[in-house]
Amino acid sequence: MRVHRRLKLTLEDTISNTMSDNPEFTSDKARALLSSVLEAISLPENATKLGEAKDNAGNDMLKMMQFVFPIVMQIEMDVIKNYGFPEGREGIVHFAQAIRTLEREDPEVAHLHAQVRAHFLPPVAISTEPSS
């Protein structure tokens, strides 16, 4: 229980520090950044790489994470550095935390982020019938 509480506080501090490190990262900038990521994903060379990776992965979630996810993350890393985020893993973590915070407040940010995630998460069939 203590470890969980410490971990939660550390995560909250990290998110808070991320937002204060980049206070000018607003919903407007998040929408622009996510739109840029979607544009980069649709570039012919990226679309081809993603298409091949998705074909190799099929509907296997593990293979999607192995083949497709890294391509999308690399595209994101290439884009986010143009918006003031650090390069590499640190930048992608800060970006993800900032987007997670902003998507709670802005439905368009949430929608654009869902479009990006749809490139590496296979569709999930949800049963609407009650289970017996």
Side-chain angles (χ1 to χ4, degrees), residues 30 79 93 96 113:
V79 172
V93 168
H113 192 217

Side-chain angles (χ1 to χ4, degrees), residues 67-116:
F67 300 118
V68 180
F69 182 75
I71 295 170
V72 175
M73 288 302 102
Q74 185 59 55
I75 293 168
E76 278 189 4
M77 284 190 282
D78 291 343
V79 172
I80 67 172
K81 65 185 176 191
N82 299 325
Y83 287 82
F85 287 92
E87 289 192 48
R89 183 183 181 283
E90 180 184 354
I92 207 74
V93 168
H94 286 234
F95 164 70
Q97 291 168 340
I99 291 298
R100 209 169 297 122
T101 299
L102 291 171
E103 72 183 354
R104 290 183 201 132
E105 304 161 4
D106 187 325
E108 190 176 349
V109 169
H111 176 71
L112 290 167
H113 192 217
Q115 287 180 310
V116 172

Side-chain angles (χ1 to χ4, degrees), residues 24-35 83 102 106 108-109 112:
E24 66 278 355
F25 190 68
T26 62
S27 289
D28 288 338
K29 286 189 180 179
R31 288 190 297 269
L33 189 156
L34 290 166
S35 294
Y83 287 82
L102 291 171
D106 187 325
E108 190 176 349
V109 169
L112 290 167

Side-chain angles (χ1 to χ4, degrees), residues 4-85:
H4 178 69
R5 180 174 286 149
R6 240 183 291 148
L7 180 61
K8 184 178 178 190
L9 288 173
T10 303
L11 180 59
E12 288 171 356
D13 291 342
T14 302
I15 292 170
S16 175
N17 290 340
T18 297
M19 294 307 284
S20 62
D21 288 347
N22 199 353
E24 66 278 355
F25 190 68
T26 62
S27 289
D28 288 338
K29 286 189 180 179
R31 288 190 297 269
L33 189 156
L34 290 166
S35 294
S36 294
V37 169
L38 290 167
E39 287 172 20
I41 287 171
S42 67
L43 291 174
E45 63 271 15
N46 291 333
T48 300
K49 279 194 281 188
L50 276 171
E52 291 170 0
K54 285 180 181 182
D55 288 344
N56 288 333
N59 246 0
D60 184 328
M61 178 60 115
L62 185 59
K63 288 183 179 181
M64 289 290 274
M65 291 292 115
Q66 184 179 7
F67 300 118
V68 180
F69 182 75
I71 295 170
V72 175
M73 288 302 102
Q74 185 59 55
I75 293 168
E76 278 189 4
M77 284 190 282
D78 291 343
V79 172
I80 67 172
K81 65 185 176 191
N82 299 325
Y83 287 82
F85 287 92

